[in-house]
Amino acid sequence: MNLKYHNPRKIALDIIIKVIEKGAYANIEIFKSYRKHRYSELDKRFILEIAYGTIKRWNTLDWVLEKFVTKPLDKLQPEVRNILRMGAYQLLYMDRVPPSAACNESVELAKKFGSKGTIKFVNAVLRNISRKYRSIKDLDFPSLSQDPVRHVSLKYSHPEWLVRRWIERYVINGTIEICSYNNKAPEHSIRVNTYLTTVEDFKNLLEREGINFKAGKYCREVLIIEKGFGKLENKEELKKFYIPQSEASALIGCMAEPASGSRVLDACAAPGIKATHLAQLMGNKGEIVALDIHKHRVDLIKGNCWRLDITCIEPRLMDARTAKDHFKEGFDLVLVDAPCSGTGVLNRRADARWRKSPDEIEKMVNLQREILKGVIPLLKSGSPLVYSTCSLEPEENQMQVDWILDNFPELRQQVLKGFVPDENLLWGDKADMFQSLPHIHRLDGFFSVRFVKHP
């Protein structure tokens, strides 16, 4: 670990450039930076806020900068272009940063990359922005009534194609609430490892450590850490008792309801968060075969099993699309937590909204169907299949349910009352679909259904 002091803004700039200009993943670059250098908790939060905020607000920042820069932004030096984005983010979105600091620190960064002319240019652009706008609230966005898609896209920093889709389903107000949810920092939620402890004992432990928390809204195994998450993560001896997981994600495991001693297939298991949840619900008794197509992700499953002292999971490097060719014995439960567009969890992945496209949704639908065809034949008669996504898109959710029922007549969709702790999370005429929605439930967007194989 490098113990030398590093300028948080320079670190944030490096992350932004790697993500926006080179296609790197924001969460991976943040993690790599935290491992490489030593930062105070204050600096960590500052780096995270500037880097994630600038990336999330990318289209809005460019729209503002274009008002003050005469040449196209893509003609600027990449370092300069992103110094301007980062400076504009601080001016418009970070009330705690004085405008003088945002401008001066941006100029200092510009000195590392450009000539005197470049330094003057950066200074002039940012100071002109600070003189005209005190915050993002001062901007005149396109009319909501005349051009709602562009208004929501620019004011709430989401791609227009996605805003258009959501307005068709959730109307304007619902779409604004979803976008607003995505722009907020996600809660630090954890799932208690009830194989090694109880929820009450872990709550008592947190209280002794001075870590503030509250109970989850729906899932009793989930706690929301309100203050002290960094402190908790630094205590290696406590990591076996919990693992970070969103509450909506944890509800998928509750709905699967695996029996102790059963044989389970988790078809798309990495990094093993849901697989380890199934294992603790089974009391670590039975067998969970956890598949992933990438070796490094299989290693993540192994790491989380080791962390939580789970021994009933067998991680395997395998493409779930071919699973039916590799197993002779059937399974008592099959979970397909399918790869998807991830439009329900854009709050957790700063760059994800800019990587999505309508074409990707179509590709995901086809991949999901190939996976389902590869694992459904492995279900024992009378056994359940649980299908889930972290998507808000009907092609990956309700329309996939119709496809499954059309193509696998031996499957019957189950009513979910009793599997989910709150019936407000259930949809459909028969309450046979689970869907958490950010603008209604204040949870990440997850979808799930449960089928049973009949003879």
Side-chain angles (χ1 to χ4, degrees), residues 38 45 67 83 140 189 230 233 257 263 271 315 324 391 421 431:
R38 185 179 70 177
R45 290 195 295 271
K67 300 175 184 294
I83 288 170
D140 292 321
S189 52
E233 285 283 86
E257 202 173 73
R263 187 167 190 255
K324 66 180 184 296
S391 170

Side-chain angles (χ1 to χ4, degrees), residues 27 102 202 307 376 392 401-402 420 436:
N27 60 329
F202 192 72
R307 169 179 176 152
I376 287 175
L392 300 179
V401 172
D402 294 337
V420 175
S436 56

Side-chain angles (χ1 to χ4, degrees), residues 255 257 414-424 426 428-433 450:
M255 201 173 71
E257 202 173 73
Q414 282 191 285
V415 173
L416 297 179
K417 291 179 181 178
F419 291 104
V420 175
D422 191 320
E423 292 183 12
N424 289 323
L426 300 180
D429 294 338
K430 299 178 181 177
D432 53 8
M433 290 184 287
R450 182 179 165 112

Side-chain angles (χ1 to χ4, degrees), residues 61-122:
L61 295 171
D62 281 8
W63 177 69
V64 173
L65 288 169
E66 285 165 359
K67 300 175 184 294
F68 296 88
V69 178
T70 54
K71 67 165 66 174
L73 292 179
D74 60 6
K75 299 296 183 184
L76 298 177
Q77 184 182 346
E79 292 83 2
V80 173
R81 180 165 58 238
N82 288 288
I83 288 170
L84 290 174
R85 286 169 175 152
M86 196 171 78
Y89 178 78
Q90 293 170 75
L91 290 170
L92 298 173
Y93 291 100
M94 296 181 70
D95 294 340
R96 300 186 307 278
V97 176
S100 57
C103 294
N104 292 340
E105 292 295 330
S106 298
V107 167
E108 289 302 310
L109 288 175
K111 290 178 181 178
K112 301 178 185 295
F113 299 105
S115 62
K116 288 184 178 179
T118 299
I119 296 166
K120 289 181 180 179
F121 168 72
V122 168

Side-chain angles (χ1 to χ4, degrees), residues 71-340:
K71 67 165 66 174
L73 292 179
D74 60 6
K75 299 296 183 184
L76 298 177
Q77 184 182 346
E79 292 83 2
V80 173
R81 180 165 58 238
N82 288 288
I83 288 170
L84 290 174
R85 286 169 175 152
M86 196 171 78
Y89 178 78
Q90 293 170 75
L91 290 170
L92 298 173
Y93 291 100
M94 296 181 70
D95 294 340
R96 300 186 307 278
V97 176
S100 57
C103 294
N104 292 340
E105 292 295 330
S106 298
V107 167
E108 289 302 310
L109 288 175
K111 290 178 181 178
K112 301 178 185 295
F113 299 105
S115 62
K116 288 184 178 179
T118 299
I119 296 166
K120 289 181 180 179
F121 168 72
V122 168
N123 186 52
V125 170
L126 294 178
R127 291 195 184 279
N128 284 339
I129 292 173
S130 70
R131 278 193 284 268
K132 187 164 185 179
Y133 306 122
R134 289 175 297 176
S135 78
I136 196 68
K137 296 175 183 177
D138 294 337
L139 270 78
D140 292 321
F141 290 98
S143 167
L144 178 60
S145 59
Q146 295 178 16
D147 194 350
V149 171
R150 188 157 168 77
H151 173 93
V152 175
S153 173
L154 288 172
K155 187 170 183 179
Y156 300 96
S157 307
H158 280 67
E160 288 189 11
W161 71 267
L162 192 54
V163 169
R164 187 174 293 108
R165 285 176 67 94
W166 288 349
I167 286 177
E168 288 175 1
R169 291 201 306 281
Y170 305 119
V171 302
I172 292 173
N173 287 342
T175 300
I176 287 173
E177 288 190 53
I178 293 171
C179 293
S180 298
Y181 179 93
N182 291 341
N183 288 334
K184 293 177 182 176
E187 294 178 320
H188 290 300
S189 52
I190 62 170
R191 187 190 80 234
V192 179
N193 181 9
T194 52
Y195 169 59
L196 295 182
T197 187
T198 66
V199 174
E200 288 306 314
D201 284 348
F202 192 72
K203 286 180 178 179
N204 292 335
L205 187 153
L206 292 178
E207 289 173 352
R208 290 196 299 271
E209 295 289 342
I211 295 169
N212 296 343
F213 64 91
K214 65 180 180 180
K217 300 182 186 76
Y218 302 99
C219 183
R220 67 175 303 274
E221 297 167 336
V222 171
L223 301 176
I224 313 300
I225 306 301
E226 297 181 296
K227 186 177 180 181
F229 182 74
K231 179 180 179 181
L232 177 61
E233 285 283 86
N234 286 333
K235 292 188 175 292
E236 292 293 327
E237 70 277 12
L238 301 185
K239 287 189 174 181
K240 64 184 176 182
F241 296 122
Y242 75 95
I243 196 162
Q245 184 178 18
S246 76
E247 187 167 13
S249 173
L251 287 169
I252 305 302
C254 298
M255 201 173 71
E257 202 173 73
S260 179
S262 58
R263 187 167 190 255
V264 175
L265 177 64
D266 187 346
C268 313
I273 304 301
K274 293 183 182 68
T276 54
H277 190 196
L278 298 181
Q280 73 182 55
L281 292 172
M282 293 161 60
N284 201 29
K285 295 176 182 177
E287 178 189 13
I288 300 174
V289 180
L291 308 183
D292 200 86
I293 195 171
H294 300 292
K295 183 182 182 303
H296 72 280
R297 290 178 62 77
V298 172
D299 291 339
L300 293 176
I301 301 172
K302 293 176 180 177
N304 282 323
C305 290
W306 180 87
R307 169 179 176 152
L308 300 174
D309 200 21
I310 296 293
T311 57
C312 73
I313 294 177
E314 180 189 344
R316 285 202 195 182
L317 181 65
M318 186 185 296
D319 188 338
R321 290 173 289 189
T322 66
K324 66 180 184 296
D325 301 325
H326 295 277
F327 297 100
K328 294 181 180 179
E329 187 182 349
F331 290 88
D332 302 304
L333 165 69
V334 172
L335 170 64
V336 178
D337 183 43
C340 67

Side-chain angles (χ1 to χ4, degrees), residues 6-37 39 43-56 58 78-79 81-83 85-86 109 113 349-352 354-355:
H6 292 267
N7 181 342
R9 285 182 173 85
K10 174 62 169 60
I11 297 297
L13 176 65
D14 291 342
I15 292 167
I16 292 165
I17 290 172
K18 287 175 182 175
V19 173
I20 291 181
E21 307 294 342
K22 301 178 182 179
Y25 292 92
N27 60 329
I28 293 175
E29 293 305 318
I30 286 282
F31 179 73
K32 284 162 62 175
S33 180
Y34 285 179
R35 291 194 64 176
K36 185 177 180 182
H37 306 297
Y39 307 114
D43 281 350
K44 281 184 179 181
R45 290 195 295 271
F46 191 71
I47 292 167
L48 191 67
E49 182 172 0
I50 291 183
Y52 271 26
T54 301
I55 294 164
K56 280 187 175 183
W58 181 0
E79 292 83 2
R81 180 165 58 238
N82 288 288
I83 288 170
R85 286 169 175 152
M86 196 171 78
L109 288 175
F113 299 105
R349 303 165 188 172
D351 49 320
W354 310 121
R355 298 182 186 276

